[in-house]
Amino acid sequence: MRDHLTVAGLLLAITSGCAGSNPDSSLPKGGQASDQSAARQAVTPDAGGNVVANPGFETGSLSSWTSCGSLSDPAISTAQAHGGTYSALIGTTVKPEVNGTAGLCQTVAVPAGATLTFWVYEGTTDTISYVDQEADILSTSGQQLAQLYAEAKSTGGWVEKSFSMSAYAGETVQLYFGVKGNGYSRDYVYEYLDDVSLSGSGATATPSATPTASPTTGPTATPTSSPTAGPTATPTSRPTATPVPTPTATPSTTPFACNNSQFLTDQSEFAAGTISADQLVDICGSVTQVLAKKKTSSGEHGYFYVEMPSGYQIEIVSNLDAMAEASTDDPPSTWPWVAVGDYVYVQGRYYYDSSSSQGVDWTEDDTDSSWSHIGYVAVCNSSGASCSKYW
């Protein structure tokens, strides 16, 4: 079975950083996420003025912003600008759509009576079932505190959005702007971002340049035609969680098999080309992301991510239809039956197609005739106790 998402693995989503200064938008081969460390310096208020650094990207770079998501996708653009010369382009205006999550983050200290205001120029040929454009408030460790909006729109011009941030006054948070897609070759999804302002009460926001008139036409790179039908074997919903929370510590006891060091060895050997055959692995770790179930050509699948000691986020693929056939120890009939923060033990088949397409799948009997192992998942609480083993 290879009905896994091709979403790039969320590499070092907590511990590794991105410079965020790629001037050209292109779909990366690897899943490089941004530094979402709590130690990163927040932009501090300046007499109640705009606390967002480089708010209109008029430095001509993504300085003060970081690329956060499974893709290093955001780029500086001159194709559209609400104010000044530059904006940030998240996603792509041409087919295929991004395959994963792409976003920009900035850590800020929220002043009293704060209001977040920004301008977006959105476009897509897909639907909310497959893609979205969104903005979120995240903790400094990357856990979603609030979703400001999630939509799949083609605005045809710049639209202003404004949200009260009073609930986070005095706190340090991350602002997240991004898109999600499933890589469908006949669609695209993008969001231009410009003139981001977070200012306190009694202060005037200070965007980087005087806004220009909103354009009346779409971006020049927009495809000239839309698909007549959606893909028959494409996942049907988007991730329910955004960037990664801080994982819990490894439990002091291991009630099920766990050999993360062997997994990391296998991963290195796959990357070096010294092995190519799928490997049986026993891994354990905290669940960092859970995706909605998706319909593929072989049935419904559930997907979630587990963090390795190196910080790598490995995708776990669960064949829900096969699990429903289990005579004993089958999981609940409704998905998801695993949540962010759970500690899990997984035995399954580790496949490695490329650095951006790898994961562990496990089923009752539907892997293939050459694979004799059934595998299992044990879902435990955040302390690694009170586990429920499925098969």
Side-chain angles (χ1 to χ4, degrees), residues 125-168:
T125 52
D126 215 332
T127 68
I128 194 67
S129 296
Y130 299 91
V131 302
D132 81 359
Q133 303 125 337
E134 67 178 81
D136 304 291
I137 306 302
L138 311 177
S139 69
T140 54
S141 63
Q143 187 165 12
Q144 187 186 68
L145 302 176
Q147 185 165 81
L148 302 180
Y149 70 92
E151 58 197 19
K153 288 186 175 181
S154 293
T155 59
W158 288 98
V159 175
E160 183 181 33
K161 293 182 180 290
S162 184
F163 302 89
S164 171
M165 293 285 288
S166 296
Y168 305 100

Short mmCIF file of all heavy atoms in Angstrom, two decimals, residues 125-168:
data_model
loop_
_atom_site.label_atom_id
_atom_site.label_comp_id
_atom_site.label_asym_id
_atom_site.label_seq_id
_atom_site.Cartn_x
_atom_site.Cartn_y
_atom_site.Cartn_z
N THR A 125 -8.19 27.78 -7.63
CA THR A 125 -9.16 27.10 -8.47
C THR A 125 -9.72 25.87 -7.77
O THR A 125 -10.49 25.12 -8.35
CB THR A 125 -8.51 26.66 -9.79
OG1 THR A 125 -7.31 25.93 -9.52
CG2 THR A 125 -8.17 27.87 -10.65
N ASP A 126 -9.31 25.65 -6.52
CA ASP A 126 -9.75 24.48 -5.75
C ASP A 126 -10.80 24.90 -4.73
O ASP A 126 -11.19 26.06 -4.67
CB ASP A 126 -8.54 23.84 -5.07
CG ASP A 126 -8.64 22.32 -5.00
OD1 ASP A 126 -9.78 21.81 -4.97
OD2 ASP A 126 -7.59 21.66 -4.95
N THR A 127 -11.25 23.95 -3.92
CA THR A 127 -12.30 24.21 -2.94
C THR A 127 -11.77 24.00 -1.53
O THR A 127 -10.70 23.42 -1.33
CB THR A 127 -13.50 23.27 -3.17
OG1 THR A 127 -13.11 21.92 -2.85
CG2 THR A 127 -13.98 23.34 -4.61
N ILE A 128 -12.56 24.43 -0.56
CA ILE A 128 -12.17 24.32 0.84
C ILE A 128 -11.99 22.87 1.27
O ILE A 128 -11.32 22.58 2.26
CB ILE A 128 -13.20 25.03 1.75
CG1 ILE A 128 -12.64 25.23 3.17
CG2 ILE A 128 -14.51 24.27 1.75
CD1 ILE A 128 -11.50 26.19 3.27
N SER A 129 -12.55 21.93 0.52
CA SER A 129 -12.37 20.51 0.85
C SER A 129 -10.93 20.07 0.65
O SER A 129 -10.49 19.08 1.23
CB SER A 129 -13.29 19.64 -0.02
OG SER A 129 -14.64 19.90 0.27
N TYR A 130 -10.18 20.80 -0.20
CA TYR A 130 -8.82 20.39 -0.53
C TYR A 130 -7.76 21.40 -0.11
O TYR A 130 -6.61 21.03 0.11
CB TYR A 130 -8.70 20.16 -2.04
CG TYR A 130 -9.60 19.08 -2.57
CD1 TYR A 130 -10.87 19.39 -3.05
CD2 TYR A 130 -9.18 17.76 -2.60
CE1 TYR A 130 -11.70 18.40 -3.55
CE2 TYR A 130 -10.01 16.75 -3.09
CZ TYR A 130 -11.28 17.08 -3.57
OH TYR A 130 -12.09 16.10 -4.04
N VAL A 131 -8.11 22.67 -0.07
CA VAL A 131 -7.11 23.72 0.20
C VAL A 131 -7.69 24.75 1.14
O VAL A 131 -8.90 24.78 1.39
CB VAL A 131 -6.68 24.43 -1.11
CG1 VAL A 131 -6.10 23.44 -2.10
CG2 VAL A 131 -7.84 25.22 -1.72
N ASP A 132 -6.82 25.61 1.66
CA ASP A 132 -7.31 26.82 2.32
C ASP A 132 -6.24 27.90 2.36
O ASP A 132 -5.06 27.63 2.15
CB ASP A 132 -7.89 26.53 3.72
CG ASP A 132 -6.83 26.39 4.82
OD1 ASP A 132 -5.63 26.50 4.53
OD2 ASP A 132 -7.21 26.17 5.97
N GLN A 133 -6.70 29.11 2.56
CA GLN A 133 -5.87 30.26 2.91
C GLN A 133 -6.28 30.62 4.34
O GLN A 133 -7.48 30.63 4.65
CB GLN A 133 -6.14 31.43 1.97
CG GLN A 133 -5.92 31.09 0.49
CD GLN A 133 -7.14 31.37 -0.37
OE1 GLN A 133 -8.27 31.42 0.10
NE2 GLN A 133 -6.91 31.54 -1.66
N GLU A 134 -5.31 30.89 5.21
CA GLU A 134 -5.67 31.06 6.62
C GLU A 134 -4.71 31.98 7.35
O GLU A 134 -3.61 32.29 6.87
CB GLU A 134 -5.73 29.72 7.34
CG GLU A 134 -4.38 29.03 7.48
CD GLU A 134 -4.50 27.71 8.24
OE1 GLU A 134 -4.88 26.70 7.62
OE2 GLU A 134 -4.19 27.71 9.45
N ALA A 135 -5.15 32.41 8.52
CA ALA A 135 -4.30 33.13 9.47
C ALA A 135 -4.59 32.58 10.86
O ALA A 135 -5.75 32.28 11.19
CB ALA A 135 -4.56 34.63 9.43
N ASP A 136 -3.53 32.44 11.67
CA ASP A 136 -3.67 31.84 12.99
C ASP A 136 -2.81 32.60 14.00
O ASP A 136 -1.85 33.28 13.64
CB ASP A 136 -3.22 30.37 12.98
CG ASP A 136 -3.97 29.53 11.96
OD1 ASP A 136 -5.16 29.31 12.16
OD2 ASP A 136 -3.34 29.13 10.97
N ILE A 137 -3.17 32.45 15.26
CA ILE A 137 -2.33 32.90 16.37
C ILE A 137 -1.74 31.66 17.00
O ILE A 137 -2.48 30.74 17.38
CB ILE A 137 -3.14 33.70 17.40
CG1 ILE A 137 -3.87 34.86 16.73
CG2 ILE A 137 -2.21 34.21 18.51
CD1 ILE A 137 -2.98 35.83 16.00
N LEU A 138 -0.42 31.62 17.10
CA LEU A 138 0.28 30.46 17.65
C LEU A 138 1.04 30.85 18.91
O LEU A 138 1.41 32.01 19.09
CB LEU A 138 1.29 29.90 16.63
CG LEU A 138 0.81 29.65 15.21
CD1 LEU A 138 1.98 29.17 14.36
CD2 LEU A 138 -0.33 28.66 15.18
N SER A 139 1.26 29.87 19.76
CA SER A 139 2.14 30.08 20.89
C SER A 139 3.58 30.14 20.37
O SER A 139 3.85 29.84 19.20
CB SER A 139 2.00 28.94 21.89
OG SER A 139 2.54 27.73 21.36
N THR A 140 4.52 30.52 21.21
CA THR A 140 5.91 30.57 20.78
C THR A 140 6.48 29.20 20.47
O THR A 140 7.49 29.09 19.78
CB THR A 140 6.78 31.24 21.86
OG1 THR A 140 6.59 30.57 23.11
CG2 THR A 140 6.42 32.71 22.01
N SER A 141 5.82 28.14 20.95
CA SER A 141 6.25 26.78 20.63
C SER A 141 5.55 26.25 19.40
O SER A 141 5.78 25.13 18.98
CB SER A 141 6.00 25.84 21.82
OG SER A 141 4.61 25.75 22.11
N GLY A 142 4.65 27.05 18.80
CA GLY A 142 4.01 26.65 17.56
C GLY A 142 2.64 26.04 17.70
O GLY A 142 2.06 25.59 16.72
N GLN A 143 2.07 26.01 18.90
CA GLN A 143 0.74 25.43 19.09
C GLN A 143 -0.32 26.46 18.76
O GLN A 143 -0.22 27.63 19.12
CB GLN A 143 0.56 24.93 20.52
CG GLN A 143 -0.75 24.16 20.72
CD GLN A 143 -0.75 23.37 22.00
OE1 GLN A 143 0.12 23.56 22.85
NE2 GLN A 143 -1.71 22.50 22.16
N GLN A 144 -1.34 26.03 18.03
CA GLN A 144 -2.40 26.95 17.62
C GLN A 144 -3.21 27.42 18.83
O GLN A 144 -3.75 26.63 19.58
CB GLN A 144 -3.34 26.27 16.63
CG GLN A 144 -4.37 27.21 16.03
CD GLN A 144 -5.38 26.50 15.15
OE1 GLN A 144 -6.19 25.71 15.65
NE2 GLN A 144 -5.32 26.73 13.86
N LEU A 145 -3.28 28.74 19.00
CA LEU A 145 -4.11 29.33 20.04
C LEU A 145 -5.47 29.74 19.49
O LEU A 145 -6.48 29.64 20.18
CB LEU A 145 -3.40 30.55 20.65
CG LEU A 145 -2.02 30.30 21.26
CD1 LEU A 145 -1.41 31.60 21.72
CD2 LEU A 145 -2.12 29.30 22.41
N ALA A 146 -5.50 30.21 18.27
CA ALA A 146 -6.75 30.62 17.64
C ALA A 146 -6.56 30.65 16.13
O ALA A 146 -5.49 30.96 15.64
CB ALA A 146 -7.19 32.00 18.13
N GLN A 147 -7.62 30.30 15.42
CA GLN A 147 -7.62 30.45 13.96
C GLN A 147 -8.46 31.67 13.63
O GLN A 147 -9.65 31.73 13.97
CB GLN A 147 -8.17 29.21 13.27
CG GLN A 147 -8.08 29.29 11.75
CD GLN A 147 -8.27 27.95 11.08
OE1 GLN A 147 -9.39 27.50 10.89
NE2 GLN A 147 -7.16 27.29 10.72
N LEU A 148 -7.87 32.64 12.97
CA LEU A 148 -8.58 33.88 12.66
C LEU A 148 -9.52 33.69 11.48
O LEU A 148 -10.63 34.22 11.47
CB LEU A 148 -7.57 34.98 12.35
CG LEU A 148 -6.58 35.29 13.48
CD1 LEU A 148 -5.64 36.41 13.07
CD2 LEU A 148 -7.31 35.64 14.77
N TYR A 149 -9.10 32.93 10.50
CA TYR A 149 -9.99 32.58 9.39
C TYR A 149 -9.35 31.45 8.60
O TYR A 149 -8.15 31.22 8.66
CB TYR A 149 -10.25 33.78 8.47
CG TYR A 149 -9.05 34.20 7.64
CD1 TYR A 149 -8.86 33.69 6.36
CD2 TYR A 149 -8.13 35.10 8.13
CE1 TYR A 149 -7.75 34.06 5.60
CE2 TYR A 149 -7.03 35.48 7.38
CZ TYR A 149 -6.85 34.95 6.11
OH TYR A 149 -5.75 35.32 5.38
N ALA A 150 -10.18 30.71 7.86
CA ALA A 150 -9.74 29.68 6.93
C ALA A 150 -10.76 29.66 5.80
O ALA A 150 -11.95 29.45 6.03
CB ALA A 150 -9.66 28.31 7.60
N GLU A 151 -10.29 29.87 4.57
CA GLU A 151 -11.20 30.00 3.45
C GLU A 151 -10.49 29.57 2.18
O GLU A 151 -9.28 29.38 2.16
CB GLU A 151 -11.69 31.45 3.32
CG GLU A 151 -10.55 32.45 3.14
CD GLU A 151 -10.97 33.88 3.44
OE1 GLU A 151 -12.01 34.07 4.12
OE2 GLU A 151 -10.25 34.81 3.01
N ALA A 152 -11.24 29.40 1.11
CA ALA A 152 -10.70 29.12 -0.21
C ALA A 152 -11.36 30.09 -1.17
O ALA A 152 -12.46 29.85 -1.66
CB ALA A 152 -10.96 27.67 -0.61
N LYS A 153 -10.71 31.23 -1.40
CA LYS A 153 -11.32 32.32 -2.15
C LYS A 153 -10.40 32.84 -3.24
O LYS A 153 -9.18 32.71 -3.18
CB LYS A 153 -11.67 33.49 -1.21
CG LYS A 153 -12.82 33.23 -0.28
CD LYS A 153 -13.17 34.50 0.49
CE LYS A 153 -14.41 34.31 1.36
NZ LYS A 153 -14.75 35.55 2.09
N SER A 154 -11.02 33.47 -4.23
CA SER A 154 -10.32 34.26 -5.22
C SER A 154 -10.88 35.67 -5.09
O SER A 154 -12.01 35.94 -5.50
CB SER A 154 -10.54 33.71 -6.63
OG SER A 154 -9.92 32.45 -6.78
N THR A 155 -10.12 36.57 -4.50
CA THR A 155 -10.64 37.89 -4.16
C THR A 155 -10.60 38.86 -5.33
O THR A 155 -11.32 39.85 -5.35
CB THR A 155 -9.85 38.49 -2.99
OG1 THR A 155 -8.46 38.59 -3.36
CG2 THR A 155 -9.98 37.62 -1.74
N GLY A 156 -9.72 38.63 -6.32
CA GLY A 156 -9.62 39.53 -7.44
C GLY A 156 -8.99 40.86 -7.10
O GLY A 156 -9.00 41.79 -7.91
N GLY A 157 -8.47 41.03 -5.93
CA GLY A 157 -7.85 42.27 -5.48
C GLY A 157 -7.53 42.20 -4.01
O GLY A 157 -7.75 41.17 -3.35
N TRP A 158 -7.02 43.29 -3.47
CA TRP A 158 -6.62 43.32 -2.07
C TRP A 158 -7.83 43.48 -1.15
O TRP A 158 -8.74 44.27 -1.44
CB TRP A 158 -5.65 44.46 -1.82
CG TRP A 158 -4.30 44.20 -2.41
CD1 TRP A 158 -3.82 44.66 -3.60
CD2 TRP A 158 -3.27 43.38 -1.84
NE1 TRP A 158 -2.55 44.18 -3.82
CE2 TRP A 158 -2.17 43.41 -2.75
CE3 TRP A 158 -3.15 42.64 -0.67
CZ2 TRP A 158 -0.99 42.72 -2.51
CZ3 TRP A 158 -1.96 41.97 -0.43
CH2 TRP A 158 -0.91 41.99 -1.33
N VAL A 159 -7.83 42.71 -0.08
CA VAL A 159 -8.90 42.74 0.92
C VAL A 159 -8.27 42.97 2.29
O VAL A 159 -7.29 42.30 2.65
CB VAL A 159 -9.71 41.43 0.93
CG1 VAL A 159 -10.74 41.43 2.06
CG2 VAL A 159 -10.40 41.22 -0.41
N GLU A 160 -8.81 43.90 3.06
CA GLU A 160 -8.32 44.15 4.40
C GLU A 160 -9.01 43.24 5.41
O GLU A 160 -10.23 43.05 5.34
CB GLU A 160 -8.53 45.61 4.80
CG GLU A 160 -7.95 45.94 6.17
CD GLU A 160 -8.20 47.39 6.56
OE1 GLU A 160 -9.26 47.93 6.16
OE2 GLU A 160 -7.34 47.98 7.24
N LYS A 161 -8.24 42.69 6.34
CA LYS A 161 -8.79 41.88 7.42
C LYS A 161 -8.31 42.47 8.75
O LYS A 161 -7.15 42.90 8.85
CB LYS A 161 -8.38 40.42 7.28
CG LYS A 161 -9.00 39.72 6.07
CD LYS A 161 -8.60 38.25 6.01
CE LYS A 161 -9.21 37.55 4.80
NZ LYS A 161 -10.66 37.38 4.93
N SER A 162 -9.18 42.47 9.74
CA SER A 162 -8.85 43.07 11.02
C SER A 162 -9.42 42.23 12.16
O SER A 162 -10.57 41.78 12.08
CB SER A 162 -9.40 44.50 11.09
OG SER A 162 -9.01 45.12 12.29
N PHE A 163 -8.61 42.01 13.20
CA PHE A 163 -9.01 41.17 14.33
C PHE A 163 -8.51 41.78 15.63
O PHE A 163 -7.38 42.28 15.70
CB PHE A 163 -8.46 39.75 14.18
CG PHE A 163 -8.88 39.05 12.93
CD1 PHE A 163 -8.12 39.17 11.77
CD2 PHE A 163 -10.04 38.30 12.88
CE1 PHE A 163 -8.49 38.54 10.60
CE2 PHE A 163 -10.42 37.67 11.72
CZ PHE A 163 -9.65 37.79 10.58
N SER A 164 -9.32 41.71 16.67
CA SER A 164 -8.90 42.17 17.99
C SER A 164 -7.91 41.17 18.58
O SER A 164 -8.11 39.96 18.49
CB SER A 164 -10.10 42.30 18.92
OG SER A 164 -9.68 42.55 20.26
N MET A 165 -6.85 41.69 19.18
CA MET A 165 -5.85 40.86 19.84
C MET A 165 -5.82 41.13 21.34
O MET A 165 -4.86 40.78 22.02
CB MET A 165 -4.48 41.14 19.23
CG MET A 165 -4.35 40.68 17.79
SD MET A 165 -4.18 38.88 17.67
CE MET A 165 -2.51 38.68 18.30
N SER A 166 -6.88 41.75 21.85
CA SER A 166 -6.92 42.12 23.26
C SER A 166 -6.77 40.92 24.19
O SER A 166 -6.23 41.04 25.29
CB SER A 166 -8.23 42.85 23.58
OG SER A 166 -8.31 44.06 22.87
N ALA A 167 -7.25 39.76 23.75
CA ALA A 167 -7.18 38.56 24.59
C ALA A 167 -5.74 38.13 24.85
O ALA A 167 -5.46 37.37 25.78
CB ALA A 167 -7.94 37.42 23.93
N TYR A 168 -4.77 38.62 24.03
CA TYR A 168 -3.38 38.21 24.17
C TYR A 168 -2.49 39.36 24.65
O TYR A 168 -1.27 39.28 24.55
CB TYR A 168 -2.87 37.67 22.83
CG TYR A 168 -3.73 36.56 22.30
CD1 TYR A 168 -4.68 36.80 21.31
CD2 TYR A 168 -3.64 35.27 22.82
CE1 TYR A 168 -5.49 35.79 20.83
CE2 TYR A 168 -4.44 34.25 22.35
CZ TYR A 168 -5.38 34.52 21.36
OH TYR A 168 -6.19 33.52 20.90
#
